[in-house]
Amino acid sequence: PKSGQERSDDQAAIQQSLADLTTGQREAIALVKVQGLSLKEASAVTGKSVASLKVNIHRAVKALRRSITTKT
């Protein structure tokens, strides 16, 4: 098990990785992956196309994986 400091470091790395995303990527991740909206619902909220949201989510997940992997 991780110590309190290690968990704190992991949380800080995740927060920094999220902050490094573009606004569009953070918005798409927050609406679809965190709040659970469908792509169609998120499209209605943001005014962006479903295709644009898919691209932003894909790029965000890729960037988060890369960032978190290098920080841990």
Side-chain angles (χ1 to χ4, degrees):
K2 291 187 176 189
S3 71
Q5 181 61 43
E6 288 174 320
R7 282 192 302 272
S8 179
D9 290 346
D10 288 349
Q11 289 176 345
I14 291 168
Q15 290 298 323
Q16 183 58 53
S17 297
L18 288 168
D20 291 342
L21 297 176
T22 67
T23 302
Q25 290 171 343
R26 269 193 312 277
E27 180 180 53
I29 287 285
L31 291 173
V32 177
K33 299 297 185 182
V34 177
Q35 293 184 13
L37 296 182
S38 69
L39 287 167
K40 188 175 180 180
E41 291 168 330
S43 176
V45 169
T46 63
K48 296 179 182 173
S49 70
V50 169
S52 175
L53 290 169
K54 285 181 179 181
V55 167
N56 278 323
I57 291 168
H58 173 77
R59 290 180 180 166
V61 169
K62 185 176 178 181
L64 288 169
R65 279 188 185 134
R66 186 175 340 125
S67 179
I68 291 170
T69 301
T70 59
K71 290 180 182 181
T72 56

